[in-house]
Amino acid sequence: MLQDRDTIITAREVHKWYGNFHALKGIDMDVKRREVIVIFGPSGSGKSTFIRTINRLEEHQRGQIIVDGIELSHDVRNIEQIRMDTGMVFQQFNLFPHLTVMQNITLSPIQVRKWTKEKAEEIALQLLGRVGIPEQAHKYPGQLSGGQQQRVAIARALAMQPKIMLFDEPTSALDPEMIKEVLDVMVELAKSGMTMLVVTHEMGFARAVADRMFFFDQGQIVESGTPEEIFKEPKEERTKLFLSQILSH
Amino acid sequence: MTQANSVLPPLAERSGILRWLRKNLFGSWLDAALTIIGAIIIYWAIKGFLTWAFTVAEWEVISANMRLIMIGQYPLEQVGQLWIALGFLMFLTGNSLAIWARKSYFTTILLLASPALLALLPFGDDPRKWLIILSVTGVIGWGMGWSKPEALGRIVILGWVLSLPVFILLTRGFTPEDGIMPIVGTNLWGGLLLTFLLTVVGILFSFPLGVLLALGRRSELPVIRLASITYIELVRGVPLITILFMAQLMLPLFLPPNVTIDRVLRAMVGITLFSAAYLAENVRGGLQAIPKGQFEAAQALGLNGAQTMVFIILPQALRLIIPILVGQFIAVFKDTALVAIVGLFDLVGIAKTVLAQPDFLGLQREVYVFISLIYWVLSYGMSYLSQRLEEKLGVGKR
Ligand SMILES: Nc1ncnc2c1ncn2[C@@H]1O[C@H](COP(=O)(O)OP(=O)(O)O)[C@@H](O)[C@H]1O
Ligand SMILES: [Mg+2]
């Protein structure tokens, strides 16, 4: 199957089982370059599993996933290439606690992209400026607040100059007063034209920058559409119910 | 801690020793009785020991045999080589303290002054001279490190990497009989020198081997995993002494008749193989403690398996288990004493030689007390230094 030039992610009939448990039941999704996608749905519906199949943190067992013209298969070189082209931000930040902020950011550009240390550090400083914490480069992650840590994690992912950014509930582990500082960075990133897949329940963010939204339930896409369509006139009962639950507080 | 100390308790609580005694030692009748009985026992033990140590014990056995205890039958004319080797280590120690432990004044003074302090003991004139030179070398090394810490860092690391080969080369010598440093057969190595070399070689070689075995145990390749598990479980299932016997008695059966492996080398191999299996299990524990998210973040950044291990997982896992590792290194140090049973002359082996001399028959107590003291001082030293290191690295915090 070929991908047209505007499409950067194609998922066709993607299935995933954990043992006997059917976690993804035929997911279809096409993502265009520069698109911002928001994925939402109840806990356990397969949102994390799905975005983790895109950079092969989870292996799918049936169907097809193509990222920027490269099909995810057992070929290790394909996986390496796709991981270079996708950045990921996790709910729990997953910074490397034994490395400074600077080392966290430059490790992979130096080791994988084979940049010089000088070049990597220069870009790291730019990125730290972009996420609003230029003065923290030589601290350790444990010395930063949650919001600062998550912004370092975003800078770390961006340092590889990825074509796609995956976010798995990036603000769910944060104290309320820190959510905004992270969302601001993500909004700026979205406006700069980055292709983004974001699992989140921050509907304000979705309304502001999402191009399309996907509602997941029980391993399937129940409904998709623009934020306009989803918020104004959701077609499915399940979507309505879920939205009313999360918007009520 | 600092916070707790900064607020002083009310005056009544601070009235000193008496209050502390009453609270901790004489809180109830039972406490008081136990305290008194304990004090009596301690008093008798200490009094007995001191009386023996100062009136009965014949410490001449130690001073007369100091050289044997330290280096065994190592030829007297070549002892200079050993001092030079020690000087090299002292120099590096001085460098390293100045570069990486600038503020640890107490540790620095203790380490650099220890040879000079030893010179106060009855070692004889020649060793005394060398001991003082050692301290001076250490101080010179410290001064150099202090003045150029950035420039020297890498060279000092290289120095440490080379230190064991250099030490062994100097100990063994490398020229024929009439050259400048004639070869000294390992059968003449003994005493603390041999114990030291067995320990250092055992630790240095078992460490990488243990890490590899721990990684092998987690490998996705069944052959490697199975081989690692088999090795670890086999070795952990037998006592070290049987491995040493096998290395000494059975290894020759598997080798062609004209190939002989040095007895000391065989013991080193035995100790290394034994220690590696235990290390592997400790490292495995450290690896298991690293959260899955660390692996995932590394993968998502495009690092391959080897890079993930080297840069992300192992540094964290090893830091986590420093206290356990040091415990195991101390155990290796003490376990080397078993080589005496297979006929090597380490500290314990040499003790038997000393006691076999007609002049010193029946002085077991003096000799073994002294040897125990050496073991204790060095074990405690390792433990103390590792605690300083842990504080510096912030192990257990963060
Ligand atoms: N490693 C795993 N092993 C077994 N089951 C898993 C594993 N990871 C996720 N699951 C299950 O798959 C389902 C989907 O999980 P997930 O994708 O994490 O959901 P979501 O992110 O939407 O909350 C859940 O029921 C979860 O229990
Ligand atoms: Mg999830």
Side-chain angles (χ1 to χ4, degrees):
Chain A
M1 188 179 65
L2 284 173
Q3 232 178 354
D4 72 63
R5 289 180 57 202
D6 278 348
T7 307
I8 193 162
I9 300 173
T10 309
R12 281 283 164 278
E13 273 295 303
V14 172
H15 288 264
K16 162 91 192 164
W17 285 264
Y18 289 113
N20 289 328
F21 179 74
H22 202 172
L24 296 178
K25 303 171 183 162
I27 302 291
D28 276 298
M29 191 185 289
D30 288 284
V31 180
K32 299 241 177 298
R33 287 175 201 277
R34 306 172 74 85
E35 237 185 340
V36 176
I37 303 290
V38 163
I39 295 171
F40 68 110
S43 170
S45 58
K47 308 179 295 292
S48 299
T49 305
F50 175 66
I51 74 162
R52 289 156 59 90
T53 58
I54 292 170
N55 64 351
R56 228 343 135 126
L57 288 187
E58 301 289 352
E59 200 177 310
H60 61 286
Q61 283 122 4
R62 240 171 61 195
Q64 226 179 0
I65 298 176
I66 302 174
V67 179
D68 200 23
I70 302 169
E71 169 152 15
L72 272 174
S73 62
H74 286 286
D75 190 335
V76 179
R77 270 167 309 165
N78 284 0
I79 298 175
E80 281 173 3
Q81 186 58 49
I82 287 172
R83 283 187 182 157
M84 277 215 236
D85 289 342
T86 53
M88 185 165 218
V89 175
F90 301 85
Q91 182 174 349
Q92 302 295 343
F93 327 139
N94 294 352
L95 292 178
F96 306 130
H98 63 303
L99 300 180
T100 62
V101 165
M102 180 56 91
Q103 291 166 331
N104 263 278
I105 299 177
T106 57
L107 177 67
S108 187
I110 293 172
Q111 297 301 331
V112 181
R113 287 237 188 259
K114 308 289 180 204
W115 292 353
T116 62
K117 191 167 170 238
E118 290 71 34
K119 179 179 176 190
E121 290 190 345
E122 192 187 318
I123 291 183
L125 281 178
Q126 283 171 18
L127 285 169
L128 283 174
R130 188 171 170 190
V131 300
I133 39 175
E135 70 289 355
Q136 313 283 15
H138 298 290
K139 290 201 179 158
Y140 285 90
Q143 299 169 301
L144 304 181
S145 73
Q148 290 173 326
Q149 290 191 47
Q150 193 61 301
R151 286 186 280 158
V152 171
I154 295 174
R156 178 176 71 177
L158 289 175
M160 287 293 279
Q161 305 196 323
K163 296 174 180 157
I164 303 164
M165 284 285 285
L166 308 171
F167 293 85
D168 191 359
E169 305 209 32
T171 56
S172 301
L174 294 176
D175 293 336
E177 74 272 16
M178 293 172 187
I179 292 178
K180 185 172 175 305
E181 63 190 53
V182 172
L183 288 180
D184 285 347
V185 170
M186 291 170 60
V187 167
E188 187 270 325
L189 192 60
K191 289 188 171 152
S192 76
M194 176 63 75
T195 308
M196 292 166 58
L197 261 71
V198 185
V199 176
T200 186
H201 293 146
E202 292 294 334
M203 290 302 143
F205 172 82
R207 223 176 241 131
V209 293
D211 295 300
R212 282 186 296 150
M213 300 176 66
F214 288 79
F215 176 61
F216 272 54
D217 195 13
Q218 296 181 0
Q220 287 173 311
I221 295 175
V222 175
E223 180 165 1
S224 69
T226 63
E228 183 97 348
E229 291 163 353
I230 297 284
F231 290 124
K232 290 246 172 70
E233 47 210 50
K235 294 193 245 351
E236 302 288 330
E237 269 317 304
R238 275 192 279 175
T239 319
K240 271 184 216 164
L241 186 65
F242 184 75
L243 278 175
S244 71
Q245 279 166 359
I246 62 168
L247 290 175
S248 68
H249 50 251
Chain B
M1 285 305 280
T2 48
Q3 267 183 343
N5 285 339
S6 63
V7 181
L8 290 174
L11 263 183
E13 298 277 307
R14 269 194 278 151
S15 57
I17 297 177
L18 270 182
R19 180 167 286 274
W20 184 89
L21 283 178
R22 189 173 322 147
K23 189 167 158 223
N24 290 288
L25 299 179
F26 298 95
S28 67
W29 282 108
L30 184 62
D31 281 359
L34 287 174
T35 301
I36 290 167
I37 294 171
I40 291 172
I41 292 174
I42 292 170
Y43 172 77
W44 277 109
I46 292 181
K47 183 176 174 229
F49 181 80
L50 291 181
T51 313
W52 169 78
F54 287 105
T55 62
V56 185
E58 299 178 33
W59 293 112
E60 300 83 49
V61 63
I62 303 300
S63 44
N65 290 292
M66 189 56 97
R67 193 167 66 86
L68 266 183
I69 294 173
M70 288 297 137
I71 57 176
Q73 308 276 3
Y74 197 89
L76 195 53
E77 322 75 75
Q78 288 182 254
V79 166
Q81 292 163 219
L82 297 180
W83 289 112
I84 294 174
L86 280 177
F88 185 56
L89 294 188
M90 271 311 278
F91 186 73
L92 286 175
T93 305
N95 279 165
S96 310
L97 286 167
I99 296 175
W100 293 293
R102 293 207 144 210
K103 299 207 182 96
S104 313
Y105 296 112
F106 183 68
T107 309
T108 303
I109 292 171
L110 195 69
L111 278 176
L112 297 185
S114 55
L117 290 178
L118 284 177
L120 297 175
L121 296 176
F123 275 111
D125 286 341
D126 200 44
R128 212 169 255 165
K129 177 190 78 190
W130 279 107
L131 283 167
I132 291 171
I133 293 178
L134 281 189
S135 266
V136 173
T137 315
V139 172
I140 294 174
W142 186 84
M144 285 179 62
W146 185 269
S147 58
K148 289 205 174 58
E150 282 86 20
L152 282 178
R154 279 173 186 227
I155 302 177
V156 174
I157 291 174
L158 183 69
W160 281 117
V161 171
L162 292 178
S163 61
L164 180 65
V166 167
F167 199 101
I168 289 182
L169 193 71
L170 284 171
T171 305
R172 182 170 171 275
F174 47 85
T175 62
E177 201 81 45
D178 46 359
I180 42 163
M181 282 198 186
I183 290 178
V184 181
T186 56
N187 55 328
L188 299 179
W189 302 8
L192 182 58
L193 171 69
L194 181 59
T195 295
F196 172 76
L197 283 172
L198 290 171
T199 307
V200 173
V201 168
I203 290 172
L204 284 186
F205 286 87
S206 65
F207 182 69
L209 190 59
V211 170
L212 285 179
L213 282 167
L215 295 179
R217 190 159 192 167
R218 294 166 60 107
S219 168
E220 282 164 13
L221 303 172
V223 182
I224 294 183
R225 190 170 59 240
L226 206 69
S228 305
I229 294 177
T230 312
Y231 178 85
I232 293 169
E233 296 305 337
L234 267 182
V235 170
R236 275 165 23 106
V238 296
L240 173 58
I241 188 67
T242 60
I243 291 183
L244 291 173
F245 270 121
M246 275 191 253
Q248 299 297 347
L249 306 174
M250 287 177 63
L251 203 61
L253 301 181
F254 302 115
L255 294 170
N258 49 350
V259 179
T260 56
I261 299 184
D262 190 276
R263 286 164 58 80
V264 169
L265 185 61
R266 277 186 250 167
M268 286 174 171
V269 170
I271 291 168
T272 302
L273 296 181
F274 182 77
S275 169
Y278 283 86
L279 252 159
E281 284 303 274
N282 292 334
V283 173
R284 183 165 77 117
L287 292 174
Q288 279 171 342
I290 306 300
K292 209 163 138 253
Q294 293 287 306
F295 290 89
E296 292 176 350
Q299 281 182 337
L301 284 166
L303 296 171
N304 64 31
Q307 290 167 331
T308 304
M309 270 301 155
V310 172
F311 296 113
I312 309 300
I313 307 304
L314 276 179
Q316 295 186 60
L318 295 180
R319 196 173 301 203
L320 223 52
I321 59 168
I322 286 178
I324 301 174
L325 289 179
V326 173
Q328 203 193 325
F329 293 158
I330 292 173
V332 170
F333 172 55
K334 293 185 292 186
D335 284 351
T336 59
L338 286 170
V339 301
I341 298 178
V342 294
L344 298 188
F345 297 104
D346 74 315
L347 273 177
V348 173
I350 212 77
K352 289 194 279 188
T353 318
V354 169
L355 291 167
Q357 302 168 50
D359 285 355
F360 302 113
L361 287 177
L363 297 179
Q364 280 87 345
R365 274 178 294 196
E366 287 80 351
V367 172
Y368 285 112
V369 163
F370 183 70
I371 285 174
S372 305
L373 183 70
I374 297 180
Y375 277 110
W376 181 81
V377 167
L378 291 173
S379 300
Y380 184 74
M382 277 200 257
S383 161
Y384 173 83
L385 289 179
S386 82
Q387 281 164 25
R388 295 288 83 77
L389 180 70
E390 282 162 36
E391 277 169 21
K392 253 197 124 204
L393 292 175
V395 174
K397 310 213 183 80
R398 245 200 297 147

